[in-house]
Amino acid sequence: MGSLRIGHGYDVHQLVEGRPLVLGGVHIPYNLGLLGHSDADVLAHALSDAILGAARAGDIGKLFPDTDAAYKDADSLVLLASVMQHVRSLGFELVDADCTLACEQPKLSPHRYQMRANLARAMGVSLEQVGVKATTTEQLGWEGQGLGIGAWAVCLLEKR
């Protein structure tokens, strides 16, 4: 067995009018969307950072700076696929990943399976290797006040 590495990622984006809400590559019907340079998919961003952290390969801001016009409105699943390609080039493979989204509205449970499928496909791994959960914050904090959505991700990589 090769060496195992864990990684943790966190991302948050503000909810605003006039933007689509994209989480795990799923376009979710809602009157607000996430503000960001790319499509602002907090779930894909947190998972990308977890993977990069486990490989000790920086973060998504380093790989895809928001000062680069090439990433304006970028599809974060494409960025996630690029992250996986990068860590594979370093000799790592994903063993498992688990993610949590925090927001009051909209309800995300109906979209969890598709989020998992999209993330797994982007990374070139099995659906069973990717978990996605959603929680509310019981109306506490900025998530509970509907100001934004936060995402946390952990992953386990194995060095081949």
Side-chain angles (χ1 to χ4, degrees):
M1 174 159 101
S3 66
L4 297 174
R5 297 263 189 92
I6 60 167
H8 176 263
Y10 171 72
D11 194 37
V12 60
H13 284 277
Q14 180 182 359
L15 281 164
V16 296
E17 292 181 358
R19 291 273 302 187
L21 179 57
V22 180
L23 297 170
V26 178
H27 288 258
I28 297 172
Y30 193 54
N31 62 322
L32 301 173
L34 294 171
L35 181 62
H37 185 66
S38 67
D39 63 7
D41 185 335
V42 293
L43 182 55
H45 294 180
L47 183 53
S48 292
D49 269 346
I51 293 164
L52 289 166
R56 313 300 185 253
D59 58 42
I60 59 171
K62 178 181 172 187
L63 259 61
F64 315 110
D66 63 7
T67 54
D68 189 334
Y71 304 116
K72 177 76 174 132
D73 298 323
D75 180 335
S76 294
L77 292 183
V78 172
L79 303 182
L80 177 60
S82 180
V83 163
M84 278 306 301
Q85 182 179 19
H86 179 60
V87 300
R88 283 186 176 115
S89 77
L90 299 174
F92 290 96
E93 189 54 59
L94 183 81
V95 175
D96 197 58
D98 191 37
C99 310
T100 303
L101 288 158
C103 72
E104 291 297 316
Q105 292 293 328
K107 293 296 181 196
L108 300 178
S109 296
H111 308 285
R112 284 179 43 218
Y113 178 86
Q114 191 59 55
M115 289 179 200
R116 289 178 60 215
N118 290 348
L119 295 169
R121 185 172 44 257
M123 293 186 292
V125 301
S126 159
L127 178 69
E128 290 306 309
Q129 291 172 269
V130 183
V132 173
K133 302 172 301 301
T135 188
T136 68
T137 61
E138 303 297 326
Q139 300 179 344
L140 296 174
W142 52 265
E143 303 102 326
Q145 295 169 19
L147 300 176
I149 296 178
W152 294 262
V154 293
C155 75
L156 182 65
L157 298 184
E158 184 173 17
K159 181 89 172 191
R160 293 188 301 262

